[in-house]
Structure formats: structure tokens, C-alpha cells
Amino acid sequence: MAETSHGPASFWTQADALLRKNLTFQKRNVRTNIRLISFPFILCLLLVLIQNLVNHELDKPENKCGCACIDTNGDGRCEEVCSLEHSSLDQGAWCPIPNPPQWPPLLQVPAPEYRAVASNVIPFSDLPNESCRRTGSCPVTLLFTGNNQSLGQTLAGSMFTSSASLNSSRSLDSLANIVGGSESMPQFTNFLDPAFYSGLPIYNLQRQCTPNSTFYADVQITSFGKEQEIKCVQGLQLWRNTSSEINDELYKGYRKGNSERKINEIVAAYDFLNSNENNFNVTIWYNSTYKNDSGNVPIGLLRVPRSVNLASNAYLQFLRGPGTKIQFDFVKEMPKHESRLRLDFSSLLGTLFFTWVIIQLFPVVLTALVYEKQQN
């Protein structure tokens, strides 16, 4: 500011002049100021509306614990009770579960139409003929290898029994005494095992099935029971000379591993390596595609622990006799509180909205700089 005859202007005089100048400039841009002030409020209002709309769409019966109207006190008045017993398979994941149910350990068994058979893709002659797929009678296959073939075949022969029966009074617990399996797809939690809700049978893997080995058992799950089909399926235990042969067979059994796009699924494969009376060393192959690791959904659980238990029990029986084993009674989840499906849009869109608000200031600053330049 230029000096006057009274000397240079004081700081407060300059500040007052600058304030008046800015106020005059802001009066000329009332619409811009209103837009700058109202824009964040409009975005917040839009965010609230979107959040309420999404919550309304997500607040559906399949996204929360199932409920039923029950006379709990015996006074004739109906009270809403929400629990696992009144939920479907989809609703069960949202229920409070202070005491998760215990599920028998199962193997992941291929569906009958996908079980390994002899074909141009897998030319091993000891696999069953492809015609068994038309009748749904294909056995399931397990592969074995190791440095000591005699020991490996002994251990493999100890995994399955020739026959097994369930205790009808404790049928769910008795499933741990057989080599059970299911073709159902596992979920990302184990509060409800799809093997008992999918309508598919529980497979009882044996060396040889008898004519009357398939039956129905009453399975008690939490406070209600259901009739579960227990179906015998033959388990083929096939020896391969090297682990490379197993890798090749497993890869070619994968749909993308052969030119004909055929599926020839193996239950599991074992390499007993250098195992002997003083050393137990085993490598286990399993099908990891069941965890559905696509990156867009939670990773599913895999039915692998039972495969490990079969190998360890076979080795214990080799050392200590047929009566020795580690009983694998059940698998279960940790307790949980009730939950609901929610989507927090403020976390998803907050960064975008904040960026939009900041960007609105750039034209204003640029206009002010140009205005100052023009005035000077």
C-alpha cells in the first residue's frame, strides 16, 4: 500500500481495508458462496438417503435370524422367539449361538457324476469304468504312494472298515465312528453344516458295500430331529508308483487340466514318503476348489481334518494294533452374538464425497487470484 502524507498505514488499517475488499467481493458472488456451503449438506443428505434405502433392502427375513411366534409362558399369548431352531440354512449365520452344535467330521466326497473313472484323460486301468456314472454307482477314489509300498498299502487298508453300523440312539455321535463324507458345498462358517440340511445323503465309505448298507437314521440337531440318509459308497484305494503320477492324475482330473474339459475328482491322496516303524511322514493332497476363493466372497471351509485323522489312525493301528486310534468326535464353531447384514456407505463413499467438497474450492481460489491480478 502506498504511503500517504500522514505516513504508512497501520496494520489494523490494512486489515480493515482487506476485510472490506473481501466482503465486497463475496457480495458479488453470493450464488457461489451458497453453492459451496450447501454442497456438503446435500452430499450428507444423499448419503443418509442411500444408507436408509440400502438398510431397508437388506432388512429382509433371509438376512436376519429366523423367528417364530411361540407361547413360551403357557398363558396363551404369543411371543416372538428368534433362534437357530427357527432359521433356514441362510438365516442360521445371523442367529446368536452361545453353544454351537457339534458336527461329525466328514470327508469331501465328489458327486457321483464327477468321480474319477478310466478315460482318455486318465488312462489308469485300475479306475472304474465310465459307465458307472450313468447309474450313479461309481466308487470314490483315494490315491497312495510312498517309498515303502508294502507299508503304504498296509496303512491304506486300515483307513476303511469292511462294514459299520450306527447306534440308533446316538446316531449323530456315531457318525464319528465311520468314515463319513458329503458332496455338499461347505460354507464359510460351521454353525450349520450343509451336509445335514442340503437334502443330500451322508456317505459311509467302506471297502465293500453290502446290499442293505444304505438306510435312514434319526439325527437330532439342537432341539429338533430329522431323518438323514446314510448311504454306503465303496472306497477304492489305489497305489501309484510316484508322487509325480499322483500330481499328473490330479491335474488331469481338474476340468481345466484336460482338453476334453472333463472332471475326474479324487477324494484325497497320500504320500507316506519315508515312513517306517520309527518315523511317520506323510503328505496329503486335497481339493481346494471347494473353498471358492474367487476374491469376491468369504472363503469357504474345507473338510480336510478327517483326511489327516485317517492317516494318523492308520499309522497308530500299524504300531499298536487295530484297537488303537485317536477318536475324532466332532468339529464345531466358536460362540457368537446375533448379527445382521449391514453395509456402511459412509465408509465406502465418504472419501469420494470429501474429495468432491475439496475440489469445489479450487475454482473459487483460482477466481480470486485472477481477480486480484486484474485489479492490480
Side-chain angles (χ1 to χ4, degrees):
M1 180 176 292
E3 295 184 4
T4 64
S5 59
H6 301 287
S10 66
F11 170 78
W12 295 110
T13 302
Q14 295 183 42
D16 180 68
L18 182 61
L19 177 61
R20 292 175 182 274
K21 179 181 179 181
N22 285 334
L23 288 176
T24 303
F25 178 76
Q26 297 301 331
K27 288 180 181 179
R28 297 173 182 174
N29 297 274
V30 175
R31 294 181 180 179
T32 301
N33 293 332
I34 294 176
R35 177 173 57 83
L36 288 174
I37 295 174
S38 61
F39 186 70
F41 291 98
I42 294 175
L43 290 182
C44 291
L45 180 61
L46 180 62
L47 188 62
V48 171
L49 293 176
I50 294 176
Q51 185 69 64
N52 290 335
L53 178 62
V54 171
N55 289 342
H56 176 73
E57 291 298 319
L58 295 180
D59 191 22
K60 294 182 178 179
E62 60 267 22
N63 295 329
K64 56 185 178 181
C65 186
C67 301
C69 198
I70 300 176
D71 182 10
T72 56
N73 299 324
D75 55 1
R77 300 181 62 182
C78 180
E79 296 183 9
E80 188 179 65
V81 178
C82 301
S83 64
L84 186 64
E85 290 81 359
H86 310 299
S87 303
S88 65
L89 185 60
D90 294 329
Q91 293 174 321
W94 311 108
C95 292
I97 307 178
N99 297 303
Q102 300 175 357
W103 305 106
L106 301 175
L107 293 172
Q108 187 66 55
V109 176
E113 63 270 21
Y114 298 134
R115 294 171 187 170
V117 293
S119 63
N120 296 332
V121 176
I122 303 179
F124 289 97
S125 59
D126 52 0
L127 289 170
N129 190 276
E130 195 171 3
S131 61
C132 67
R133 288 187 172 181
R134 292 192 293 269
T135 59
S137 59
C138 293
V140 297
T141 303
L142 289 87
L143 303 179
F144 299 88
T145 190
N147 297 345
N148 188 334
Q149 182 174 352
S150 176
L151 174 62
Q153 290 178 332
T154 300
L155 296 178
S158 302
M159 290 186 178
F160 298 156
T161 59
S162 57
S163 62
S165 60
L166 294 177
N167 185 342
S168 60
S169 62
R170 299 175 65 248
S171 55
L172 187 61
D173 296 334
S174 298
L175 286 177
N177 297 322
I178 66 173
V179 183
S182 174
E183 64 180 272
S184 61
M185 287 291 295
Q187 295 186 325
F188 64 93
T189 64
N190 208 30
F191 292 110
L192 293 175
D193 194 334
F196 297 93
Y197 288 91
S198 59
L200 298 170
I202 298 294
Y203 293 107
N204 178 15
L205 278 66
Q206 298 184 15
R207 286 197 292 267
Q208 193 67 42
C209 292
T210 59
N212 297 322
S213 55
T214 298
F215 59 94
Y216 288 86
D218 292 328
V219 178
Q220 189 72 21
I221 303 174
T222 60
S223 63
F224 63 95
K226 67 182 294 289
E227 202 172 51
Q228 177 66 53
E229 181 183 6
I230 311 297
K231 185 176 183 179
C232 179
V233 62
Q234 182 185 2
L236 287 182
Q237 299 162 313
L238 305 180
W239 181 263
R240 296 293 180 257
N241 293 324
T242 63
S243 59
S244 298
E245 289 186 2
I246 291 181
N247 281 327
D248 184 63
E249 188 169 351
L250 293 176
Y251 178 74
K252 290 182 177 179
Y254 180 52
R255 180 173 57 87
K256 296 182 179 180
N258 60 85
S259 58
E260 298 182 13
R261 312 286 286 184
K262 290 184 177 180
I263 298 177
N264 286 276
E265 190 176 341
I266 305 294
V267 175
Y270 298 83
D271 185 357
F272 291 108
L273 301 167
N274 59 342
S275 298
N276 52 40
E277 293 84 354
N278 302 315
N279 178 49
F280 180 53
N281 191 12
V282 62
T283 298
I284 302 176
W285 287 267
Y286 60 90
N287 190 345
S288 63
T289 58
Y290 283 94
K291 66 181 180 181
N292 194 24
D293 189 8
S294 61
N296 301 320
V297 295
I299 296 177
L301 301 176
L302 295 176
R303 297 186 174 111
V304 176
R306 186 55 165 156
S307 298
V308 180
N309 178 251
L310 287 178
S312 59
N313 278 342
Y315 186 73
L316 284 176
Q317 292 173 19
F318 166 71
L319 289 180
R320 301 295 183 181
T324 306
K325 66 177 180 178
I326 301 174
Q327 182 70 18
F328 194 175
D329 288 329
F330 60 86
V331 294
K332 65 182 296 185
E333 274 283 1
M334 294 293 290
K336 66 178 288 290
H337 296 288
E338 182 179 1
S339 57
R340 291 194 177 187
L341 183 60
R342 286 289 183 265
L343 188 60
D344 188 2
F345 260 85
S346 60
S347 299
L348 296 176
L349 300 180
T351 305
L352 176 63
F353 285 179
F354 177 78
T355 304
W356 286 353
V357 172
I358 296 299
I359 289 177
Q360 292 295 313
L361 299 177
F362 291 158
V364 177
V365 175
L366 181 61
T367 302
L369 292 176
V370 172
Y371 176 79
E372 286 289 334
K373 198 70 174 178
Q374 290 176 344
Q375 294 299 317
N376 294 332

